[in-house]
């Protein structure tokens, strides 16, 4: 589970900002708070702010960290430092994330000069119940050093880690966590103490899902013949008019005409590799664009089987493909995963969750998630402009955070609890009466009127009025 995220010198974030999922002292809806004897965490955090305040940049910070760990430097990284200050291009951008891996609390971080793509430092600590840190490893590429801390007791584990660590100090493009999770399966079999590195990597790869308005969530792993009725019933209950779903096969020739040959060949090759690893498992790969979705499998002869979904509405005998459905329905199919997927300890970070959805539907989806949060440890981090989420008071105060932008163009994270509202003060009212400073867009009414008046005068002159 996510505890905290620290970021600095990244996009509109200049000085270090802290995003926290730690719960406050409120007793409201206490059943949906995760807690053990050492920590209390919220399972939902809703981030509000004016346009261009930095909400999407916070989501992109999550995406950047995930990309760095799983794949390496993402496209366009050289311009992601805080560019309002030109001197920042030579300063490191810093990222630190605090996570619960089961019951083990770890702190992982790295710094990087984004202008050149040079990793400066990387570290991993275990945090005890008392808050003390126990070093797992520390990698300093400026000094060319690598150290292993007191976390390990097995001499062989320490020696292996030092060998790989010292070899890595000349590679400034890749993180050590990435290096240690490619082609190292035998290492973990022989050195069980090192498994914390694999668990952390898999958290980033498998348990963190980041979605922006133009992307999708992790796909449709829940679409199978066994639960289509459940999905159709939920979509119908949410007011889409959908009454039934079905899975249909699509001829390979149709897909070949839609995607590049090299992509099609790669999908088939990846499926063959996965099947070769485990003959009892029938792997599937999903190919998804905004309004198209296909799953690829192999039959017993290793020929591709390609499927998609179709929808029926009031007349159950007539089916439509996803491209013929509304934008709102397509969005619901993305979001439905957080409700139906059997998941635990996953973190969904979704930018503009209200895009293409009716305001009451956005509120209902969040309300359903919060109800389910009492029974599972999935976390949801969203950005939104939908003030009804505040008006309905379904959120705890420690589940609300604002992002504001100061006069220097820096995004600042302000949790609602920082404002110390009176107990009888409604958050929705405080949003519009000025109690919550700088969280709404600032309009220059005189400037707007002057521009419109001048434009009107120009039109009259040009038209000879």
């Amino acid at each position: 589970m996510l505890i905290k995220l620290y970021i600095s010198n990244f996009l509109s974030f200049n000085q270090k900002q802290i995003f926290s999922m730690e719960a406050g002292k409120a007793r409201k809806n206490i059943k949906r708070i995760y807690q053990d004897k050492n920590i209390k965490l919220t399972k939902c955090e809703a981030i509000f702010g004016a346009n261009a305040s930095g909400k999407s940049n916070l989501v992109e910070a999550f995406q950047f960290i995930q990309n760095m760990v799983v794949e390496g430097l993402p496209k366009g990284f050289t311009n992601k430092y805080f560019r309002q200050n030109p001197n920042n291009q030579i300063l490191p951008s810093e990222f630190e994330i605090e996570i619960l891996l089961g019951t083990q609390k770890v702190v992982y971080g790295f710094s990087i000069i984004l202008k050149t793509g040079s990793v400066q430092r990387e570290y991993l600590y275990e945090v005890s119940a008392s808050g003390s840190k126990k070093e797992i490893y520390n990698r300093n590429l400026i000094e060319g050093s690598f150290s292993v801390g007191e976390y390990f007791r097995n001499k062989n584990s320490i020696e292996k880690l030092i060998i790989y660590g010292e070899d890595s100090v000349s590679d400034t493009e890749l993180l050590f966590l990435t290096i240690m999770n490619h082609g190292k399966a035998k290492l973990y079999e022989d050195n069980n103490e090192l498994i914390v590195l694999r668990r952390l990597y898999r958290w980033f790869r498998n348990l963190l899902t980041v979605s922006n308005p133009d992307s999708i969530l992790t796909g449709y792993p829940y679409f199978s013949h066994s639960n289509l009725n459940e999905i159709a019933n939920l979509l119908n209950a949410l007011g889409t008019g959908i009454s039934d779903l079905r899975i249909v096969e699509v001829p390979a020739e149709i897909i070949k005409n839609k995607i590049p040959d090299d992509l099609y060949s790669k999908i088939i090759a990846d499926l063959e590799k996965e099947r070769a690893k485990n003959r009892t498992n029938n792997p599937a790969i999903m190919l998804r664009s905004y309004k198209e979705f296909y799953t690829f499998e192999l039959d017993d002869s290793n020929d591709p089987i390609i499927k998609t979904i179709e929808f029926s509405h009031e007349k159950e005998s007539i089916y439509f493909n996803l491209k013929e459905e509304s934008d709102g329905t397509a969005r619901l199919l993305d979001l439905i995963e957080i409700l139906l997927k059997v998941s635990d300890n996953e973190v969904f970070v979704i930018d503009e969750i209200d895009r293409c959805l009716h305001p009451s539907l956005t509120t209902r989806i969040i309300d359903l998630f919060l109800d389910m949060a009492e029974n599972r440890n999935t976390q949801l981090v969203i950005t939104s402009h939908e003030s009804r989420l505040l008006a309905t008071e379904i959120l705890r105060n420690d589940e609300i955070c604002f992002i504001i932008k100061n006069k220097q163009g820096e995004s600042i994270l302000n949790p609602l609890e920082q404002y110390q509202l009176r107990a009888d003060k409604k958050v929705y009212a405080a949003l519009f009466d000025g109690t919550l400073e700088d969280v709404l867009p600032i309009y220059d009414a005189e400037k707007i009127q002057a521009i419109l008046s001048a434009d009107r005068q120009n039109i009259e002159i040009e038209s000879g009025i």
Side-chain angles (χ1 to χ4, degrees):
M1 298 185 73
L2 175 66
I3 303 173
K4 288 181 182 179
L5 171 70
Y6 302 79
I7 51 175
S8 66
N9 193 23
F10 182 77
L11 296 175
S12 58
F13 296 98
N14 185 21
Q15 302 298 321
K16 182 167 74 172
Q17 295 296 305
I18 304 172
F19 174 76
S20 177
M21 300 289 288
E22 288 186 312
K25 297 179 180 180
R27 302 300 300 172
K28 176 182 177 181
N29 295 315
I30 193 69
K31 289 183 179 180
R32 68 173 182 243
I33 297 297
Y34 169 87
Q35 56 184 325
D36 58 30
K37 60 182 180 181
N38 300 315
I39 195 168
K40 294 198 303 180
L41 298 174
T42 62
K43 296 178 185 176
C44 181
E45 199 71 27
I47 304 158
F48 299 89
N51 293 106
S53 60
K55 299 186 302 298
S56 295
N57 291 341
L58 178 63
V59 174
E60 192 164 345
F62 279 102
Q63 185 72 76
F64 180 82
I65 297 170
Q66 183 183 52
N67 287 343
M68 276 293 297
V69 170
V70 177
E71 303 170 1
L73 285 162
K75 182 180 179 180
F77 65 87
T78 56
N79 288 323
K80 291 187 182 296
Y81 61 91
F82 180 74
R83 287 192 287 161
Q84 297 286 356
N85 185 347
N87 292 331
N88 276 33
Q89 65 181 303
I90 62 174
L91 298 178
S93 298
E94 298 182 335
F95 307 87
E96 182 177 286
I97 193 163
E98 196 171 326
I99 304 167
L100 267 185
L101 294 175
T103 59
Q104 183 183 30
K105 184 191 293 187
V106 298
V107 173
Y108 173 72
F110 63 89
S111 61
I112 180 172
I113 304 291
L114 289 171
K115 187 65 177 177
T116 59
S118 302
V119 177
Q120 302 285 287
R121 189 184 170 211
E122 181 185 0
Y123 53 88
L124 177 62
Y125 294 90
E126 181 187 50
V127 182
S128 69
S130 65
S132 62
K133 292 182 178 179
K134 187 180 292 185
E135 181 181 295
I136 298 176
Y137 71 82
N138 198 316
R139 182 179 181 229
N140 190 323
L141 286 88
I142 300 173
E143 299 176 356
S145 64
F146 183 90
S147 63
V148 175
E150 64 277 15
Y151 174 85
F152 298 103
R153 297 180 181 276
N154 186 286
K155 184 178 179 181
N156 188 55
S157 298
I158 295 172
E159 290 175 350
K160 287 286 186 181
L161 205 59
I162 288 175
I163 290 171
Y164 285 113
E166 290 180 346
D167 285 345
S168 77
V169 294
S170 61
D171 190 342
T172 60
E173 292 186 2
L174 285 177
L175 296 172
F176 183 67
L177 186 61
T178 310
I179 295 169
M180 291 300 294
N181 280 279
H182 286 81
K184 303 286 192 303
K186 187 67 167 59
L187 175 68
Y188 293 106
E189 290 176 9
D190 297 338
N191 300 271
N192 186 60
E193 210 176 25
L194 297 176
I195 204 69
V196 63
L197 303 182
R198 173 148 290 190
R199 291 177 65 215
L200 178 59
Y201 175 84
R202 287 180 172 175
W203 185 90
F204 283 108
R205 187 187 68 184
N206 301 330
L207 299 181
L208 175 63
T209 298
V210 184
S211 173
N212 61 54
D214 298 320
S215 71
I216 55 173
L217 300 184
T218 57
Y220 299 119
Y222 45 83
F223 274 120
S224 64
H225 290 290
S226 62
N227 61 7
L228 287 182
N229 286 337
E230 181 184 21
I231 296 163
N233 288 337
L234 181 56
L235 288 173
N236 182 271
L238 290 171
T240 62
I242 290 173
S243 57
D244 191 25
L245 303 177
R246 70 179 182 183
I247 295 178
V248 296
E249 288 195 26
V250 181
E253 290 71 23
I254 292 178
I255 305 304
K256 286 181 178 179
N257 290 329
K258 290 188 174 187
I259 65 175
D261 291 340
D262 56 346
L263 176 57
Y264 183 87
S265 299
K266 184 178 186 306
I267 290 171
I268 304 304
D270 287 345
L271 286 171
E272 290 177 349
K273 290 176 185 176
E274 286 299 315
R275 171 172 279 187
K277 292 179 183 177
N278 187 353
R279 295 296 302 181
T280 62
N281 182 37
N282 190 22
I285 290 177
M286 190 202 71
L287 187 65
R288 174 80 157 91
S289 64
Y290 175 51
K291 278 203 169 183
E292 290 188 275
F293 132 84
Y294 305 98
T295 59
F296 290 71
E297 299 177 3
L298 297 178
D299 63 17
D300 293 337
S301 301
N302 275 352
D303 292 323
I305 302 172
I306 306 172
K307 300 176 182 178
T308 190
I309 51 172
E310 293 182 344
F311 311 80
S312 72
H313 291 256
E314 287 74 16
K315 292 186 177 181
E316 295 188 1
S317 60
I318 302 174
Y319 284 83
F320 302 86
N321 60 42
L322 183 57
K323 187 174 289 187
E324 297 174 287
E325 294 295 328
S326 70
D327 290 345
T329 298
R331 182 63 169 162
L332 274 178
L333 287 172
D334 291 335
L335 298 178
I336 210 170
E337 181 176 2
I338 67 174
L339 301 178
L340 289 186
K341 186 178 178 184
V342 180
S343 58
D344 205 10
N345 294 317
E346 294 197 40
V347 179
F348 292 92
V349 182
I350 305 176
D351 194 16
E352 295 186 23
I353 194 170
D354 47 336
R355 183 179 66 86
C356 299
L357 296 181
H358 190 279
S360 63
L361 191 53
T362 302
T363 304
R364 184 59 182 146
I365 288 174
I366 300 303
D367 197 22
L368 288 170
F369 173 84
L370 294 173
D371 284 342
M372 299 177 69
E374 294 185 10
N375 301 310
R376 65 180 188 181
N377 291 331
T378 297
Q379 290 174 301
L380 177 64
V381 178
I382 64 168
T383 71
S384 179
H385 293 289
E386 185 45 69
S387 57
R388 288 196 190 190
L389 290 172
L390 301 177
T392 56
E393 300 184 15
I394 61 174
L395 296 168
R396 291 164 48 102
N397 281 8
D398 53 11
E399 294 171 336
I400 300 170
C401 182
F402 294 99
I403 293 186
I404 65 171
K405 186 172 280 189
N406 65 19
K407 294 180 180 180
Q408 289 71 46
E410 302 174 329
S411 292
I412 309 296
L413 283 166
N414 285 343
L416 175 60
E417 291 196 321
Q418 182 175 305
Y419 292 92
Q420 297 182 329
L421 295 183
R422 299 192 319 265
D424 61 340
K425 186 70 174 181
K426 302 296 184 183
V427 179
Y428 185 77
L431 182 68
F432 293 100
D433 68 10
T435 303
L436 303 176
E437 295 182 4
D438 302 322
V439 299
L440 293 177
I442 299 175
Y443 305 104
D444 189 331
E446 292 184 3
K447 188 174 183 179
I448 293 172
Q449 188 60 45
I451 293 171
L452 294 178
S453 297
D455 185 63
R456 178 62 183 169
Q457 290 175 3
N458 290 335
I459 292 174
E460 292 175 349
I461 291 173
E462 291 173 1
S463 60
I465 297 177

